[in-house]
Amino acid sequence: MAEKFDHLEEHLEKFVENIRQLGIIVSDFQPSSQAGLNQKLNFIVTGLQDIDKCRQQLHDVTVPLEVFEYIDQGRNPQLYTKECLERALAKNEQVKGKIDTMKLLKCQDCRAHERSVPTDAWCLPGARLAQLCSGVSAACRFLLCVLSAKIISTCVAGFLQEVFFLLI
């Protein structure tokens, strides 16, 4: 991909140099310099054709409009990239902070709920367990349901083992 940009950059540099030389010829135009003027005009046309060929190779590249605004303001377009990265890092830190806070709150909510639910509640019928879980966040209820399903299955397995042992 870099070769495509290098190729375009090379053609643009040649084109800019030809435009600069054309400006010099035109500013000091003499009838005897008509042949040099025509030659430079032909170089410019050829340069535009070369740039157009490069455009076909770079059809999938998109440039944000803000970059053009930076250029119009006389600012370096690389500053746009730098500022975008800085904004992304700041947003990343902000989101990371929110995630850490949510994890902390979730853990505190679940620990508080564990203290409020009796230890034998896990072997209670579903309706009683749901009553005990009222007022708890949805995430904590989900975790409690998963845990209760595992513990209830353990209680049922223990009960079945006792029944089986009694039958033998």
Side-chain angles (χ1 to χ4, degrees), residues 127-165:
R128 177 74 176 120
L129 186 61
Q131 183 183 16
L132 288 171
C133 291
S134 63
V136 177
S137 69
C140 199
R141 276 197 307 267
F142 174 75
L143 289 173
L144 289 173
C145 289
V146 170
L147 287 173
S148 65
K150 183 166 180 68
I151 293 171
I152 288 172
S153 66
T154 304
C155 289
V156 170
F159 174 74
L160 290 176
Q161 285 178 350
E162 288 178 25
V163 170
F164 182 72
F165 181 72

mmCIF file of all heavy atoms in Angstrom, residues 127-165:
data_model
loop_
_atom_site.group_PDB
_atom_site.id
_atom_site.type_symbol
_atom_site.label_atom_id
_atom_site.label_comp_id
_atom_site.label_asym_id
_atom_site.label_seq_id
_atom_site.Cartn_x
_atom_site.Cartn_y
_atom_site.Cartn_z
ATOM 1 N N ALA A 127 -40.235 -19.619 43.701
ATOM 2 C CA ALA A 127 -41.022 -18.438 44.059
ATOM 3 C C ALA A 127 -40.445 -17.758 45.287
ATOM 4 O O ALA A 127 -40.334 -16.535 45.351
ATOM 5 C CB ALA A 127 -42.473 -18.829 44.302
ATOM 6 N N ARG A 128 -40.048 -18.534 46.285
ATOM 7 C CA ARG A 128 -39.471 -17.969 47.503
ATOM 8 C C ARG A 128 -38.122 -17.317 47.187
ATOM 9 O O ARG A 128 -37.798 -16.249 47.699
ATOM 10 C CB ARG A 128 -39.296 -19.071 48.555
ATOM 11 C CG ARG A 128 -38.646 -18.600 49.820
ATOM 12 C CD ARG A 128 -39.603 -17.765 50.661
ATOM 13 N NE ARG A 128 -38.953 -17.408 51.918
ATOM 14 C CZ ARG A 128 -38.740 -16.163 52.310
ATOM 15 N NH1 ARG A 128 -39.159 -15.173 51.578
ATOM 16 N NH2 ARG A 128 -38.140 -15.922 53.448
ATOM 17 N N LEU A 129 -37.320 -17.950 46.324
ATOM 18 C CA LEU A 129 -36.026 -17.396 45.926
ATOM 19 C C LEU A 129 -36.231 -16.085 45.173
ATOM 20 O O LEU A 129 -35.520 -15.115 45.404
ATOM 21 C CB LEU A 129 -35.252 -18.398 45.063
ATOM 22 C CG LEU A 129 -33.835 -18.004 44.693
ATOM 23 C CD1 LEU A 129 -32.998 -17.845 45.954
ATOM 24 C CD2 LEU A 129 -33.229 -19.040 43.782
ATOM 25 N N ALA A 130 -37.233 -16.040 44.304
ATOM 26 C CA ALA A 130 -37.524 -14.817 43.561
ATOM 27 C C ALA A 130 -37.934 -13.699 44.506
ATOM 28 O O ALA A 130 -37.576 -12.543 44.311
ATOM 29 C CB ALA A 130 -38.620 -15.078 42.528
ATOM 30 N N GLN A 131 -38.696 -14.029 45.551
ATOM 31 C CA GLN A 131 -39.117 -13.044 46.529
ATOM 32 C C GLN A 131 -37.899 -12.481 47.261
ATOM 33 O O GLN A 131 -37.798 -11.290 47.507
ATOM 34 C CB GLN A 131 -40.087 -13.684 47.518
ATOM 35 C CG GLN A 131 -40.634 -12.713 48.543
ATOM 36 C CD GLN A 131 -41.545 -13.421 49.537
ATOM 37 O OE1 GLN A 131 -41.518 -14.646 49.634
ATOM 38 N NE2 GLN A 131 -42.334 -12.656 50.243
ATOM 39 N N LEU A 132 -36.960 -13.335 47.590
ATOM 40 C CA LEU A 132 -35.757 -12.880 48.274
ATOM 41 C C LEU A 132 -34.897 -12.006 47.369
ATOM 42 O O LEU A 132 -34.158 -11.158 47.856
ATOM 43 C CB LEU A 132 -34.936 -14.080 48.760
ATOM 44 C CG LEU A 132 -35.515 -14.858 49.932
ATOM 45 C CD1 LEU A 132 -34.714 -16.129 50.147
ATOM 46 C CD2 LEU A 132 -35.492 -14.008 51.188
ATOM 47 N N CYS A 133 -34.970 -12.227 46.063
ATOM 48 C CA CYS A 133 -34.124 -11.496 45.112
ATOM 49 C C CYS A 133 -34.745 -10.196 44.653
ATOM 50 O O CYS A 133 -34.171 -9.503 43.827
ATOM 51 C CB CYS A 133 -33.834 -12.374 43.885
ATOM 52 S SG CYS A 133 -32.755 -13.752 44.260
ATOM 53 N N SER A 134 -35.925 -9.830 45.128
ATOM 54 C CA SER A 134 -36.558 -8.595 44.668
ATOM 55 C C SER A 134 -35.714 -7.407 45.108
ATOM 56 O O SER A 134 -35.100 -7.408 46.168
ATOM 57 C CB SER A 134 -37.978 -8.484 45.227
ATOM 58 O OG SER A 134 -37.914 -8.417 46.630
ATOM 59 N N GLY A 135 -35.660 -6.393 44.271
ATOM 60 C CA GLY A 135 -34.891 -5.203 44.581
ATOM 61 C C GLY A 135 -33.413 -5.314 44.246
ATOM 62 O O GLY A 135 -32.628 -4.431 44.565
ATOM 63 N N VAL A 136 -33.008 -6.393 43.582
ATOM 64 C CA VAL A 136 -31.599 -6.595 43.225
ATOM 65 C C VAL A 136 -31.446 -6.273 41.750
ATOM 66 O O VAL A 136 -32.355 -6.489 40.955
ATOM 67 C CB VAL A 136 -31.186 -8.049 43.528
ATOM 68 C CG1 VAL A 136 -29.766 -8.302 43.114
ATOM 69 C CG2 VAL A 136 -31.355 -8.338 45.004
ATOM 70 N N SER A 137 -30.283 -5.764 41.370
ATOM 71 C CA SER A 137 -30.045 -5.406 39.975
ATOM 72 C C SER A 137 -30.198 -6.624 39.065
ATOM 73 O O SER A 137 -30.053 -7.767 39.493
ATOM 74 C CB SER A 137 -28.639 -4.814 39.811
ATOM 75 O OG SER A 137 -27.675 -5.819 40.008
ATOM 76 N N ALA A 138 -30.482 -6.358 37.787
ATOM 77 C CA ALA A 138 -30.703 -7.440 36.822
ATOM 78 C C ALA A 138 -29.464 -8.313 36.675
ATOM 79 O O ALA A 138 -29.559 -9.543 36.595
ATOM 80 C CB ALA A 138 -31.119 -6.864 35.474
ATOM 81 N N ALA A 139 -28.298 -7.700 36.661
ATOM 82 C CA ALA A 139 -27.055 -8.478 36.517
ATOM 83 C C ALA A 139 -26.864 -9.396 37.714
ATOM 84 O O ALA A 139 -26.495 -10.562 37.573
ATOM 85 C CB ALA A 139 -25.854 -7.543 36.377
ATOM 86 N N CYS A 140 -27.159 -8.872 38.899
ATOM 87 C CA CYS A 140 -26.994 -9.685 40.106
ATOM 88 C C CYS A 140 -28.041 -10.800 40.141
ATOM 89 O O CYS A 140 -27.750 -11.923 40.544
ATOM 90 C CB CYS A 140 -27.100 -8.796 41.333
ATOM 91 S SG CYS A 140 -26.399 -9.557 42.797
ATOM 92 N N ARG A 141 -29.284 -10.504 39.701
ATOM 93 C CA ARG A 141 -30.332 -11.546 39.642
ATOM 94 C C ARG A 141 -29.911 -12.659 38.707
ATOM 95 O O ARG A 141 -30.112 -13.836 39.003
ATOM 96 C CB ARG A 141 -31.658 -10.939 39.190
ATOM 97 C CG ARG A 141 -32.442 -10.309 40.295
ATOM 98 C CD ARG A 141 -33.895 -10.100 39.911
ATOM 99 N NE ARG A 141 -34.055 -9.375 38.680
ATOM 100 C CZ ARG A 141 -34.206 -8.061 38.587
ATOM 101 N NH1 ARG A 141 -34.205 -7.325 39.663
ATOM 102 N NH2 ARG A 141 -34.349 -7.475 37.429
ATOM 103 N N PHE A 142 -29.311 -12.296 37.575
ATOM 104 C CA PHE A 142 -28.862 -13.313 36.631
ATOM 105 C C PHE A 142 -27.817 -14.207 37.283
ATOM 106 O O PHE A 142 -27.886 -15.430 37.205
ATOM 107 C CB PHE A 142 -28.301 -12.658 35.370
ATOM 108 C CG PHE A 142 -27.684 -13.635 34.408
ATOM 109 C CD1 PHE A 142 -28.498 -14.447 33.634
ATOM 110 C CD2 PHE A 142 -26.310 -13.752 34.293
ATOM 111 C CE1 PHE A 142 -27.938 -15.359 32.760
ATOM 112 C CE2 PHE A 142 -25.752 -14.660 33.426
ATOM 113 C CZ PHE A 142 -26.569 -15.464 32.654
ATOM 114 N N LEU A 143 -26.838 -13.572 37.940
ATOM 115 C CA LEU A 143 -25.802 -14.361 38.617
ATOM 116 C C LEU A 143 -26.413 -15.244 39.695
ATOM 117 O O LEU A 143 -26.035 -16.408 39.850
ATOM 118 C CB LEU A 143 -24.756 -13.436 39.234
ATOM 119 C CG LEU A 143 -23.840 -12.717 38.253
ATOM 120 C CD1 LEU A 143 -22.965 -11.714 38.993
ATOM 121 C CD2 LEU A 143 -22.980 -13.690 37.490
ATOM 122 N N LEU A 144 -27.387 -14.696 40.427
ATOM 123 C CA LEU A 144 -28.029 -15.487 41.468
ATOM 124 C C LEU A 144 -28.799 -16.666 40.886
ATOM 125 O O LEU A 144 -28.804 -17.767 41.449
ATOM 126 C CB LEU A 144 -28.962 -14.607 42.298
ATOM 127 C CG LEU A 144 -28.258 -13.601 43.208
ATOM 128 C CD1 LEU A 144 -29.274 -12.667 43.838
ATOM 129 C CD2 LEU A 144 -27.452 -14.310 44.271
ATOM 130 N N CYS A 145 -29.460 -16.442 39.756
ATOM 131 C CA CYS A 145 -30.200 -17.533 39.110
ATOM 132 C C CYS A 145 -29.249 -18.637 38.664
ATOM 133 O O CYS A 145 -29.537 -19.825 38.843
ATOM 134 C CB CYS A 145 -31.006 -17.015 37.927
ATOM 135 S SG CYS A 145 -32.416 -16.023 38.423
ATOM 136 N N VAL A 146 -28.119 -18.245 38.098
ATOM 137 C CA VAL A 146 -27.146 -19.253 37.659
ATOM 138 C C VAL A 146 -26.612 -20.017 38.864
ATOM 139 O O VAL A 146 -26.552 -21.249 38.863
ATOM 140 C CB VAL A 146 -25.992 -18.580 36.876
ATOM 141 C CG1 VAL A 146 -24.864 -19.551 36.637
ATOM 142 C CG2 VAL A 146 -26.502 -18.015 35.559
ATOM 143 N N LEU A 147 -26.255 -19.277 39.900
ATOM 144 C CA LEU A 147 -25.752 -19.933 41.110
ATOM 145 C C LEU A 147 -26.818 -20.804 41.757
ATOM 146 O O LEU A 147 -26.543 -21.923 42.182
ATOM 147 C CB LEU A 147 -25.264 -18.880 42.107
ATOM 148 C CG LEU A 147 -23.957 -18.184 41.772
ATOM 149 C CD1 LEU A 147 -23.709 -17.049 42.753
ATOM 150 C CD2 LEU A 147 -22.805 -19.156 41.777
ATOM 151 N N SER A 148 -28.044 -20.276 41.821
ATOM 152 C CA SER A 148 -29.102 -21.057 42.469
ATOM 153 C C SER A 148 -29.408 -22.323 41.676
ATOM 154 O O SER A 148 -29.673 -23.374 42.251
ATOM 155 C CB SER A 148 -30.359 -20.215 42.657
ATOM 156 O OG SER A 148 -30.900 -19.859 41.406
ATOM 157 N N ALA A 149 -29.360 -22.243 40.354
ATOM 158 C CA ALA A 149 -29.605 -23.441 39.551
ATOM 159 C C ALA A 149 -28.548 -24.491 39.845
ATOM 160 O O ALA A 149 -28.858 -25.679 39.990
ATOM 161 C CB ALA A 149 -29.611 -23.081 38.066
ATOM 162 N N LYS A 150 -27.312 -24.046 39.964
ATOM 163 C CA LYS A 150 -26.234 -24.992 40.275
ATOM 164 C C LYS A 150 -26.405 -25.564 41.675
ATOM 165 O O LYS A 150 -26.291 -26.768 41.892
ATOM 166 C CB LYS A 150 -24.880 -24.302 40.139
ATOM 167 C CG LYS A 150 -23.712 -25.240 40.374
ATOM 168 C CD LYS A 150 -22.442 -24.605 39.895
ATOM 169 C CE LYS A 150 -21.256 -25.492 40.116
ATOM 170 N NZ LYS A 150 -21.222 -26.671 39.318
ATOM 171 N N ILE A 151 -26.727 -24.704 42.639
ATOM 172 C CA ILE A 151 -26.876 -25.168 44.019
ATOM 173 C C ILE A 151 -28.124 -26.029 44.169
ATOM 174 O O ILE A 151 -28.106 -27.054 44.851
ATOM 175 C CB ILE A 151 -26.888 -23.966 44.986
ATOM 176 C CG1 ILE A 151 -25.501 -23.317 44.969
ATOM 177 C CG2 ILE A 151 -27.257 -24.394 46.398
ATOM 178 C CD1 ILE A 151 -25.412 -22.021 45.694
ATOM 179 N N ILE A 152 -29.223 -25.633 43.514
ATOM 180 C CA ILE A 152 -30.446 -26.445 43.580
ATOM 181 C C ILE A 152 -30.192 -27.814 42.981
ATOM 182 O O ILE A 152 -30.605 -28.834 43.527
ATOM 183 C CB ILE A 152 -31.627 -25.720 42.894
ATOM 184 C CG1 ILE A 152 -32.069 -24.542 43.763
ATOM 185 C CG2 ILE A 152 -32.783 -26.672 42.645
ATOM 186 C CD1 ILE A 152 -33.088 -23.642 43.110
ATOM 187 N N SER A 153 -29.480 -27.846 41.854
ATOM 188 C CA SER A 153 -29.185 -29.155 41.262
ATOM 189 C C SER A 153 -28.324 -29.981 42.214
ATOM 190 O O SER A 153 -28.498 -31.193 42.316
ATOM 191 C CB SER A 153 -28.517 -29.007 39.904
ATOM 192 O OG SER A 153 -27.242 -28.426 40.048
ATOM 193 N N THR A 154 -27.436 -29.313 42.950
ATOM 194 C CA THR A 154 -26.630 -30.011 43.955
ATOM 195 C C THR A 154 -27.518 -30.515 45.091
ATOM 196 O O THR A 154 -27.369 -31.651 45.552
ATOM 197 C CB THR A 154 -25.534 -29.081 44.504
ATOM 198 O OG1 THR A 154 -24.763 -28.597 43.414
ATOM 199 C CG2 THR A 154 -24.638 -29.800 45.484
ATOM 200 N N CYS A 155 -28.481 -29.679 45.533
ATOM 201 C CA CYS A 155 -29.405 -30.094 46.599
ATOM 202 C C CYS A 155 -30.248 -31.280 46.144
ATOM 203 O O CYS A 155 -30.450 -32.242 46.889
ATOM 204 C CB CYS A 155 -30.326 -28.936 46.998
ATOM 205 S SG CYS A 155 -29.487 -27.617 47.891
ATOM 206 N N VAL A 156 -30.761 -31.204 44.907
ATOM 207 C CA VAL A 156 -31.576 -32.303 44.370
ATOM 208 C C VAL A 156 -30.735 -33.556 44.250
ATOM 209 O O VAL A 156 -31.174 -34.654 44.607
ATOM 210 C CB VAL A 156 -32.199 -31.899 43.008
ATOM 211 C CG1 VAL A 156 -32.827 -33.093 42.327
ATOM 212 C CG2 VAL A 156 -33.207 -30.789 43.210
ATOM 213 N N ALA A 157 -29.492 -33.403 43.787
ATOM 214 C CA ALA A 157 -28.622 -34.575 43.666
ATOM 215 C C ALA A 157 -28.359 -35.177 45.039
ATOM 216 O O ALA A 157 -28.391 -36.404 45.211
ATOM 217 C CB ALA A 157 -27.309 -34.186 42.989
ATOM 218 N N GLY A 158 -28.143 -34.330 46.038
ATOM 219 C CA GLY A 158 -27.936 -34.834 47.395
ATOM 220 C C GLY A 158 -29.167 -35.537 47.926
ATOM 221 O O GLY A 158 -29.080 -36.604 48.559
ATOM 222 N N PHE A 159 -30.332 -34.968 47.661
ATOM 223 C CA PHE A 159 -31.589 -35.574 48.100
ATOM 224 C C PHE A 159 -31.790 -36.927 47.430
ATOM 225 O O PHE A 159 -32.167 -37.915 48.064
ATOM 226 C CB PHE A 159 -32.748 -34.627 47.778
ATOM 227 C CG PHE A 159 -34.099 -35.213 48.050
ATOM 228 C CD1 PHE A 159 -34.550 -35.348 49.362
ATOM 229 C CD2 PHE A 159 -34.919 -35.634 47.018
ATOM 230 C CE1 PHE A 159 -35.796 -35.887 49.622
ATOM 231 C CE2 PHE A 159 -36.156 -36.174 47.275
ATOM 232 C CZ PHE A 159 -36.606 -36.299 48.574
ATOM 233 N N LEU A 160 -31.526 -36.989 46.123
ATOM 234 C CA LEU A 160 -31.688 -38.250 45.402
ATOM 235 C C LEU A 160 -30.713 -39.301 45.917
ATOM 236 O O LEU A 160 -31.058 -40.488 46.007
ATOM 237 C CB LEU A 160 -31.512 -38.042 43.902
ATOM 238 C CG LEU A 160 -32.626 -37.257 43.209
ATOM 239 C CD1 LEU A 160 -32.277 -37.039 41.752
ATOM 240 C CD2 LEU A 160 -33.963 -37.982 43.322
ATOM 241 N N GLN A 161 -29.509 -38.881 46.276
ATOM 242 C CA GLN A 161 -28.547 -39.833 46.843
ATOM 243 C C GLN A 161 -29.046 -40.384 48.169
ATOM 244 O O GLN A 161 -28.939 -41.568 48.440
ATOM 245 C CB GLN A 161 -27.179 -39.167 47.030
ATOM 246 C CG GLN A 161 -26.421 -38.981 45.751
ATOM 247 C CD GLN A 161 -25.086 -38.262 45.971
ATOM 248 O OE1 GLN A 161 -24.836 -37.752 47.059
ATOM 249 N NE2 GLN A 161 -24.281 -38.220 44.934
ATOM 250 N N GLU A 162 -29.645 -39.505 48.994
ATOM 251 C CA GLU A 162 -30.183 -39.968 50.269
ATOM 252 C C GLU A 162 -31.339 -40.937 50.051
ATOM 253 O O GLU A 162 -31.442 -41.969 50.736
ATOM 254 C CB GLU A 162 -30.647 -38.779 51.112
ATOM 255 C CG GLU A 162 -29.511 -37.954 51.669
ATOM 256 C CD GLU A 162 -30.016 -36.764 52.458
ATOM 257 O OE1 GLU A 162 -31.151 -36.799 52.983
ATOM 258 O OE2 GLU A 162 -29.258 -35.785 52.567
ATOM 259 N N VAL A 163 -32.240 -40.621 49.106
ATOM 260 C CA VAL A 163 -33.364 -41.501 48.810
ATOM 261 C C VAL A 163 -32.845 -42.831 48.287
ATOM 262 O O VAL A 163 -33.307 -43.912 48.701
ATOM 263 C CB VAL A 163 -34.333 -40.849 47.798
ATOM 264 C CG1 VAL A 163 -35.355 -41.839 47.295
ATOM 265 C CG2 VAL A 163 -35.001 -39.629 48.425
ATOM 266 N N PHE A 164 -31.875 -42.790 47.413
ATOM 267 C CA PHE A 164 -31.315 -44.005 46.866
ATOM 268 C C PHE A 164 -30.656 -44.833 47.983
ATOM 269 O O PHE A 164 -30.783 -46.052 48.021
ATOM 270 C CB PHE A 164 -30.301 -43.672 45.773
ATOM 271 C CG PHE A 164 -29.702 -44.868 45.103
ATOM 272 C CD1 PHE A 164 -30.470 -45.636 44.230
ATOM 273 C CD2 PHE A 164 -28.388 -45.230 45.335
ATOM 274 C CE1 PHE A 164 -29.934 -46.750 43.626
ATOM 275 C CE2 PHE A 164 -27.839 -46.333 44.731
ATOM 276 C CZ PHE A 164 -28.618 -47.093 43.863
ATOM 277 N N PHE A 165 -29.963 -44.146 48.884
ATOM 278 C CA PHE A 165 -29.307 -44.835 49.987
ATOM 279 C C PHE A 165 -30.339 -45.499 50.903
ATOM 280 O O PHE A 165 -30.127 -46.608 51.403
ATOM 281 C CB PHE A 165 -28.449 -43.851 50.777
ATOM 282 C CG PHE A 165 -27.696 -44.465 51.921
ATOM 283 C CD1 PHE A 165 -26.608 -45.291 51.671
ATOM 284 C CD2 PHE A 165 -28.066 -44.219 53.231
ATOM 285 C CE1 PHE A 165 -25.917 -45.859 52.714
ATOM 286 C CE2 PHE A 165 -27.376 -44.796 54.280
ATOM 287 C CZ PHE A 165 -26.280 -45.606 54.013
#
